[in-house]
């Protein structure tokens, strides 16, 4: 984060504390780390959770769906109804809700109550990233907006490298409920860091629920969301079935799977950094290039996955190519929704959760047809090409409107 560790000195005589941009963005990214950990660690602990609340694994999987549903519902609703709140207060409130939801999951006595607390934990997910992205972009020069947004998203990627493996290990060794306690601790640390380092930011003077909802009437907002849902679905088509693909096709030993997940996470970190820099040069250009790269990489993955070392290398590349898209998509949504940036940016994460469901469904479908574990990568490549076509349509309509 060296590129953003700068200090903006407040004007003499204002009495305001200097803004430490790097620390402010790191505080926001810490919240993303906690969110990523609680979202993805559940997948590795699913058998433990199922045994703990005395249900089957398919029923336990509904806990993941409950969280995703919370994201989809909470992103537009919470952002719209809190439009008049100061942004720092809003991002603090969202992290407090997230923390309480996870601590409640720790104490949930049975399956039904755990389902409710997982839904509550998901509610602030999209809204937090949306508002945090707007705050981070406001702290830097316009030429570094996407890079700053990418740094906030970096917390989500780092969670896949460090937070998820650690939480999974602790949960397996000492009890799955400790996952929620660990995430609750990260949430409390985030609240303290945001309160200390993120500068006060009043809400826009004309902010209102109606003003935020105006974004939903803009075709470019929906086209960008469609790019995220369709194009990014290809990434999830591969990621969902990566474990059986690596063990059954590549011949990777099962004990290497944590390394596979870590490689994906490292790739996501690299992708966020590269994508942020690319989007600062050209937002639409970074989306076009990102979709094309994803399509090519997934086709290559379907071929290279038959050998261990090429499979491991391509896991890193797949993670990188997919995450390159996130800063550009987030920034694009902010650009096409003036006056409603928080809502539009939060919808990106609702879209990504729908992409998760779409990719998992289509990938599972072709596997059930007997096409094998390489088929989801080819499905993903088709989805990436479709996402590129939608992005090109969006750009063409924008040029015509000008």
């Amino acid at each position: 984060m060296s590129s953003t560790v700068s200090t903006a000195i407040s004007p003499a005589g204002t009495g305001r504390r200097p803004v430490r941009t790097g620390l402010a963005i790191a505080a926001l990214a810490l919240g993303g780390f906690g969110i990523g950990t609680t979202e993805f660690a559940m997948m590795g602990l699913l058998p433990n959770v199922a045994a703990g609340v005395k249900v089957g694994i398919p029923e336990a999987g509904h806990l993941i769906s409950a969280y995703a549903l919370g994201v989809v519902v909470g992103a537009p609703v919470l952002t719209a109804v809190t439009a008049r709140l100061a942004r720092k207060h809003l991002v603090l409130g969202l992290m407090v809700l997230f923390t309480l939801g996870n601590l409640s999951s720790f104490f949930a006595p049975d399956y039904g109550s755990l389902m409710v607390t997982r839904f509550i934990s998901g509610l602030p997910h999209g809204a937090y990233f949306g508002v945090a992205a707007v705050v981070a972009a406001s702290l830097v020069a316009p030429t570094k907006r996407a890079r700053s947004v990418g740094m906030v998203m970096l917390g989500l990627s780092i969670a896949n490298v460090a937070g998820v493996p650690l939480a999974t290990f602790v949960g397996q060794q000492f009890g799955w409920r400790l996952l929620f306690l660990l995430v609750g601790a990260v949430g409390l640390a985030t609240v303290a860091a945001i309160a200390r380092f993120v500068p006060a930011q009043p809400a826009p003077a004309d902010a209102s629920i109606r003003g935020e909802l105006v974004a939903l009437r803009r075709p470019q907002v929906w086209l960008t969301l469609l790019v995220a849902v369709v194009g990014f679905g290809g990434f999830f088509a591969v990621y969902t079935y990566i474990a059986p693909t690596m063990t059954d096709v590549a011949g990777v030993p099962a004990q290497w799977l944590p390394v596979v997940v870590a490689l994906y996470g490292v790739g996501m970190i690299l992708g966020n950094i590269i994508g942020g820099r690319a989007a600062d040069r050209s937002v639409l250009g970074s989306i076009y290039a990102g979709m094309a790269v994803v399509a090519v990489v997934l086709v290559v993955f379907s071929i290279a996955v038959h050998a261990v070392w090429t499979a491991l290398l391509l896991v890193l590349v797949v993670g990188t190519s997919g995450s390159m898209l996130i800063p550009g998509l987030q920034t694009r949504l902010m650009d096409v929704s003036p006056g409603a940036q928080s809502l539009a940016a939060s919808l990106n994460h609702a879209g990504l959760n729908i992409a998760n469901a779409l990719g998992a469904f289509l990938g599972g479908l072709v596997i059930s047809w007997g096409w094998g574990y390489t088929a989801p990568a080819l499905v993903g490549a088709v989805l990436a090409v479709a996402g590129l076509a939608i992005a090109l349509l969006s750009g063409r309509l924008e040029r015509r409107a000008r």
Side-chain angles (χ1 to χ4, degrees):
M1 269 188 202
S2 58
S3 62
T4 57
V5 181
S6 59
T7 303
I9 306 298
S10 58
T14 62
R16 294 179 182 173
R17 204 161 46 200
V19 177
R20 298 176 181 175
T21 306
L23 291 175
I25 293 175
L28 296 169
L30 181 61
F33 176 82
I35 289 173
T37 300
T38 197
E39 181 179 17
F40 296 114
M42 273 291 288
M43 299 172 186
L45 291 173
L46 208 57
N48 307 77
V49 176
V53 293
K54 298 178 176 59
V55 298
I57 289 180
E59 288 79 13
H62 297 160
L63 295 169
I64 296 174
S65 301
Y67 183 92
L69 181 60
V71 178
V72 174
V73 172
V77 173
L78 289 181
T79 307
V81 300
T82 57
R84 300 181 69 90
L85 287 180
R87 284 173 177 161
K88 178 176 180 177
H89 295 160
L90 176 53
V91 80
L92 276 171
L94 291 168
M95 187 46 57
V96 168
L97 177 60
F98 172 79
T99 303
L100 291 175
N102 278 276
L103 292 177
S104 298
S105 294
F106 175 75
F107 291 107
D110 52 36
Y111 176 71
S113 57
L114 186 58
M115 182 78 74
V116 172
T117 60
R118 290 306 289 161
F119 175 79
I120 293 172
S121 298
L123 286 173
H125 176 132
Y128 175 85
F129 277 118
V131 179
V134 173
V135 172
S138 71
L139 297 175
V140 298
T143 56
K144 295 182 178 180
R145 288 182 315 139
R147 202 175 310 178
S148 180
V149 170
M151 287 296 177
V152 174
M153 300 301 116
L154 204 58
L156 198 62
S157 301
I158 294 174
N160 282 278
V161 178
V164 172
L166 174 62
T168 303
F169 173 78
V170 171
Q172 289 174 338
Q173 298 298 318
F174 305 105
W176 59 270
R177 289 183 184 273
L178 286 179
L179 159 66
F180 305 117
L181 195 61
L182 288 173
V183 172
V186 173
L188 291 174
T190 303
V191 169
I194 291 173
R196 174 67 178 83
F197 296 116
V198 175
Q201 289 198 349
D206 57 349
S208 65
I209 295 177
R210 184 176 180 180
E212 289 286 335
L213 294 178
V214 165
L216 300 180
R217 293 161 53 184
R218 297 190 176 109
Q220 287 291 356
V221 170
W222 288 106
L223 283 172
T224 305
L225 286 172
L226 196 56
V227 171
V229 170
V230 175
F232 213 78
F235 174 82
F236 285 113
V238 173
Y239 187 65
T240 303
Y241 303 100
I242 192 62
T245 302
M246 297 301 287
T247 55
D248 294 7
V249 180
V252 173
Q255 59 267 31
W256 284 21
L257 287 178
V259 176
V260 172
V261 175
L263 283 173
Y264 240 111
V266 171
M268 291 174 70
I269 292 173
L270 294 174
N272 265 295
I273 296 171
I274 295 169
R277 292 178 181 275
D280 277 329
R281 293 187 179 91
S282 170
V283 174
L284 268 175
S286 72
I287 296 173
Y288 297 156
M291 284 295 174
V293 169
V294 168
V296 172
V297 165
L298 292 182
V299 172
V300 174
F301 177 82
S302 70
I303 301 169
V305 76
H306 292 278
V308 172
W309 295 110
T310 53
L312 291 173
L313 174 62
L314 263 294
V315 163
L316 175 69
V317 176
V318 169
T320 302
S321 63
S323 293
M324 283 171 57
L325 290 164
I326 296 178
L329 289 169
Q330 193 86 45
T331 307
R332 173 69 174 167
L333 280 167
M334 292 161 60
D335 287 345
V336 298
S337 54
Q341 288 187 328
S342 296
L343 175 60
S346 70
L347 287 173
N348 189 39
H349 295 273
L352 292 179
N353 272 269
I354 296 173
N356 191 346
L358 176 67
F361 171 74
L362 293 178
L365 192 63
V366 293
I367 291 171
S368 69
W369 288 347
W371 292 6
Y373 285 116
T374 59
L378 298 177
V379 169
V382 172
L383 289 174
V385 171
L388 174 59
I390 298 167
L392 289 169
L393 173 63
S394 174
R396 182 176 181 181
L397 291 176
E398 184 174 78
R399 289 190 299 272
R400 183 178 296 175
R402 287 174 180 171

